[in-house]
Amino acid sequence: MRRSRLSPERERELYEAVVELLGEVGYDGLTMDAVAARTRSSKATLYRQWKGKPQLVATALRHTKPVLLEGVDTGSLRGDLREIARCSETAHERDAALMRGLAHASHDNPDLHQALRELLIFPEIDALHALLRRAVDRGEVAPDRPALNYVIHMMCGAFITRPLVEGKQPDETYLLEYIDAVILPALGAA
Amino acid sequence: MRRSRLSPERERELYEAVVELLGEVGYDGLTMDAVAARTRSSKATLYRQWKGKPQLVATALRHTKPVLLEGVDTGSLRGDLREIARCSETAHERDAALMRGLAHASHDNPDLHQALRELLIFPEIDALHALLRRAVDRGEVAPDRPALNYVIHMMCGAFITRPLVEGKQPDETYLLEYIDAVILPALGAA
């Protein structure tokens, strides 16, 4: 395996440096030269280990920001969603500016867009699908309920619309209310 | 009234020029000098008529992009939502890049954020509330249904999440399905 050349500690150090740089200069301002300098690596090593800047950035985020939804399993759908709301608030405060910058940059960088989807978004979606499958298995949601395909859409709507419309951050109280008002009724699980 | 000095035709011309410039150079690149040059106005006139750049931009958008939801009244909630879906697809294709740029710029420009909310977003929300009030009056939705407060959140979720997760634009087929799967069931009107 190519990656075995770097120790896990060294990889972790490198990923943290990339995310740090990203917060300082943004995606467009981040250069492989700067990453090499900050981490005292050669650019050749960086390109050998990762295909390029989009992959390096997405992999760094993937390893330093733990998947939000993985491991959430309280035994009920409502419990799971409420736990996500609690974790989301913290994650959102920490990463909002970083993620906003990346979302903006990804519109002009198809490679970054693709890397973010594969390395950051798809794992969250997989974890969400597993969580919903358990709810269906427990009989909380009908297996053919159409809203099962749109839980991520409802959740994103909650996060993005609040600052836009109300000029406020999505805090825990708001998210818990949204779960009971929107997500559970749409799933027929209220 | 201060504004009476410009004829409606001249105002309209000016607003169209502002939106055109906005599409070319983005919000940060747009200067009052460039607007004055493009519209053959004096900067003094521009500042006399509008307080500043954020207000001019928001007012120009307000006058050149008709409110999406105003006037939608088909006689049923499902009919109204489906008509919005049809108009949204067209509007979205036309303005997506422009609006994305503005949303990004507004994070660093509180004045722009405020102007966009007051002049663009609030009128849409008012129109949406009127539409929902009619549905309640017709007995289609219970007046205390909690999801009534989150219809705009559900709708934004549909628009923003599709490109992000599926890498596709929110087309009419998708939006109509989302209405039946998410919005109507959450409102208890399915």
Side-chain angles (χ1 to χ4, degrees):
Chain A
M1 239 182 70
R2 288 183 314 156
R3 304 245 167 149
S4 59
R5 294 185 204 173
L6 292 187
S7 70
E9 293 71 27
R10 179 80 184 113
E11 264 199 359
R12 167 117 205 134
E13 223 176 80
L14 211 143
Y15 291 142
E16 279 167 4
V18 169
V19 174
E20 206 178 83
L21 259 176
L22 203 56
E24 292 168 19
V25 300
Y27 181 78
D28 288 325
L30 185 133
T31 62
M32 291 300 252
D33 281 315
V35 174
R38 174 77 59 104
T39 60
R40 273 167 271 131
S41 329
S42 74
K43 265 170 72 177
T45 306
L46 297 181
Y47 278 107
R48 195 170 51 237
Q49 295 268 344
W50 298 276
K51 238 179 77 193
K53 180 168 126 175
Q55 291 77 13
L56 174 57
V57 164
T59 313
L61 286 166
R62 178 89 185 84
H63 280 82
T64 52
K65 316 283 170 199
V67 177
L68 204 55
L69 304 181
E70 219 164 52
V72 171
D73 189 4
T74 65
S76 81
L77 176 60
R78 186 163 185 262
D80 285 357
L81 292 173
R82 290 171 72 86
E83 191 169 315
I84 294 169
R86 277 186 286 271
C87 306
S88 309
E89 191 191 348
T90 321
H92 190 79
E93 275 171 16
R94 197 188 49 191
D95 301 331
L98 188 67
M99 285 311 188
R100 211 160 50 224
L102 280 173
H104 190 71
S106 77
H107 285 292
D108 302 320
N109 296 279
D111 286 349
L112 174 65
H113 186 78
Q114 190 55 25
L116 289 176
R117 290 178 67 209
E118 280 174 17
L119 291 164
L120 275 184
I121 300 178
F122 290 173
E124 294 285 2
I125 293 178
D126 288 345
L128 181 66
H129 285 168
L131 184 159
L132 293 171
R133 207 173 309 118
R134 290 195 304 271
V136 169
D137 290 344
R138 285 189 301 259
E140 293 183 82
V141 180
D144 58 352
R145 184 83 184 182
L148 280 169
N149 296 321
Y150 298 111
V151 176
I152 189 109
H153 303 67
M154 293 188 259
M155 288 167 63
C156 287
F159 279 101
I160 293 164
T161 313
R162 186 148 218 236
L164 202 66
V165 171
E166 299 167 66
K168 292 182 202 161
Q169 288 312 305
D171 58 30
E172 192 182 320
T173 312
Y174 159 85
L175 290 171
L176 295 179
E177 196 179 300
Y178 186 85
I179 289 167
D180 286 337
V182 170
I183 303 181
L184 293 173
L187 289 169
Chain B
M1 237 183 73
R2 288 184 314 158
R3 303 242 168 150
S4 61
R5 293 184 204 172
L6 291 187
S7 71
E9 292 73 28
R10 180 78 183 114
E11 264 199 358
R12 168 117 206 135
E13 223 178 82
L14 210 143
Y15 292 142
E16 279 168 2
V18 169
V19 173
E20 206 179 84
L21 259 175
L22 203 58
E24 291 167 20
V25 300
Y27 182 79
D28 287 328
L30 184 132
T31 62
M32 291 300 250
D33 280 316
V35 174
R38 175 77 59 105
T39 60
R40 274 169 270 129
S41 328
S42 74
K43 265 172 71 177
T45 306
L46 297 180
Y47 278 107
R48 196 170 51 235
Q49 296 268 344
W50 298 275
K51 240 178 78 191
K53 180 169 125 174
Q55 291 77 14
L56 174 58
V57 164
T59 312
L61 287 166
R62 178 88 184 85
H63 280 82
T64 52
K65 317 282 171 203
V67 177
L68 204 57
L69 304 181
E70 220 163 50
V72 171
D73 189 4
T74 65
S76 82
L77 176 60
R78 185 164 186 262
D80 286 357
L81 292 173
R82 290 171 72 87
E83 191 169 316
I84 294 169
R86 277 186 287 270
C87 306
S88 310
E89 191 192 348
T90 321
H92 190 79
E93 276 172 15
R94 196 188 50 192
D95 301 330
L98 188 68
M99 286 312 192
R100 210 160 50 225
L102 280 174
H104 190 70
S106 78
H107 285 292
D108 302 320
N109 296 278
D111 286 349
L112 174 65
H113 186 77
Q114 191 56 24
L116 288 176
R117 289 178 68 212
E118 282 175 14
L119 292 164
L120 276 184
I121 300 177
F122 290 172
E124 294 284 2
I125 294 177
D126 287 346
L128 181 66
H129 285 167
L131 184 159
L132 294 171
R133 207 172 311 119
R134 290 195 304 270
V136 170
D137 289 345
R138 284 189 301 257
E140 294 182 81
V141 181
D144 58 350
R145 185 83 186 183
L148 280 169
N149 296 321
Y150 298 111
V151 175
I152 190 109
H153 304 67
M154 292 187 259
M155 287 167 62
C156 287
F159 279 100
I160 293 164
T161 313
R162 187 147 217 237
L164 202 67
V165 172
E166 297 166 69
K168 291 183 202 163
Q169 287 312 304
D171 58 28
E172 192 182 320
T173 312
Y174 158 85
L175 291 171
L176 294 179
E177 195 178 300
Y178 186 85
I179 289 167
D180 286 336
V182 171
I183 303 182
L184 293 173
L187 289 169

